[in-house]
């Protein structure tokens, strides 16, 4: 696969974040009841990516990379969980992108999981930065009911 094709696939995979933001915009009423599940989904997909990368490097007998990658991912994900920093979220996505480029035999699996990881991540980012506010949606909905009656 050429470098151009690899980068194009990676760019498409990273659009998952944008589609996640779009999902939050389309269905803001699902944000409050689904937030816990989106967080669990993001965490599960993130650790699936980490474990697959670890497996790929173990298969290459690149043990130092496995230890360094797992340590970095543990620190970044723990800090992200505590702070909710958008910079750490971007760093995590860039780390997954780097792993995608460094493990050519797992690129299609990685690209698919990066896209799927981006969906709940984008949705949670949209709520965190205020693109979508669940409370405003409830206010609009209740105002519509008051005007109808």
């Amino acid at each position: 696969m050429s470098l151009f094709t690899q980068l194009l696939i990676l760019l498409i995979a990273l659009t998952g974040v944008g589609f996640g933001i779009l999902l939050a915009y389309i269905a803001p009423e699902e944000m409050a009841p689904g937030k816990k599940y989106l967080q669990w989904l993001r965490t599960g997909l993130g650790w699936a990516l980490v474990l697959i990368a670890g497996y790929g490097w173990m298969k290459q007998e690149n043990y130092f990379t496995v230890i360094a990658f797992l340590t970095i991912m543990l620190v970044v994900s723990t800090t992200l969980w505590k702070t909710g920093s958008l910079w750490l979220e971007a760093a995590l996505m860039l780390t997954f992108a780097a792993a995608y480029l460094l493990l050519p035999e797992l690129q299609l699996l990685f690209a698919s999981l990066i896209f799927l990881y981006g969906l709940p991540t984008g949705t949670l980012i949209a709520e965190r930065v205020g693109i979508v506010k669940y409370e405003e949606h409830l206010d609009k909905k209740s105002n519509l009911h008051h005007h109808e009656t």
Side-chain angles (χ1 to χ4, degrees):
M1 202 175 343
S2 73
L3 181 61
F4 176 75
T5 306
Q6 290 176 337
L7 292 176
L8 184 62
I9 291 171
L10 180 59
L11 284 175
I12 292 169
L14 292 172
T15 63
V17 175
F19 282 110
I21 292 170
L22 182 64
L23 282 172
Y25 185 75
I26 291 171
E29 68 275 1
E30 299 299 327
M31 289 302 298
K35 185 175 181 177
K36 173 177 61 171
Y37 303 108
L38 289 169
Q39 289 170 335
W40 280 103
L41 182 62
R42 182 185 68 184
T43 302
L45 288 167
W47 281 107
L49 283 160
V50 169
L51 293 175
I52 290 168
Y55 167 77
W57 284 313
M58 290 288 282
K59 199 170 154 188
Q60 295 176 354
E61 297 182 5
N62 198 342
Y63 304 115
F64 176 75
T65 305
V66 173
I67 292 168
F69 182 72
L70 290 176
T71 304
I72 289 168
M73 295 308 290
L74 185 62
V75 169
V76 169
S77 63
T78 303
T79 309
L80 177 64
W81 180 69
K82 289 181 180 179
T83 65
S85 167
L86 293 176
W87 290 106
L88 285 175
E89 198 71 67
L92 203 56
M93 292 296 284
L94 288 174
T95 307
F96 291 148
Y100 163 86
L101 292 170
L102 295 171
L103 293 165
E105 68 277 359
L106 297 172
Q107 281 184 336
L108 291 178
L109 176 61
F110 244 87
S112 302
L113 288 173
I114 288 171
F115 179 82
L116 292 174
Y117 176 83
L119 291 172
T121 301
T123 304
L124 292 167
I125 287 172
E127 193 235 355
R128 191 176 329 141
V129 299
I131 294 172
V132 174
K133 293 184 179 163
Y134 178 68
E135 293 80 23
E136 286 178 8
H137 177 74
L138 284 179
D139 290 341
K140 288 179 187 175
K141 199 172 185 179
S142 65
N143 285 339
L144 284 175
H145 289 298
H146 289 302
H147 291 297
E148 289 175 1
T149 56

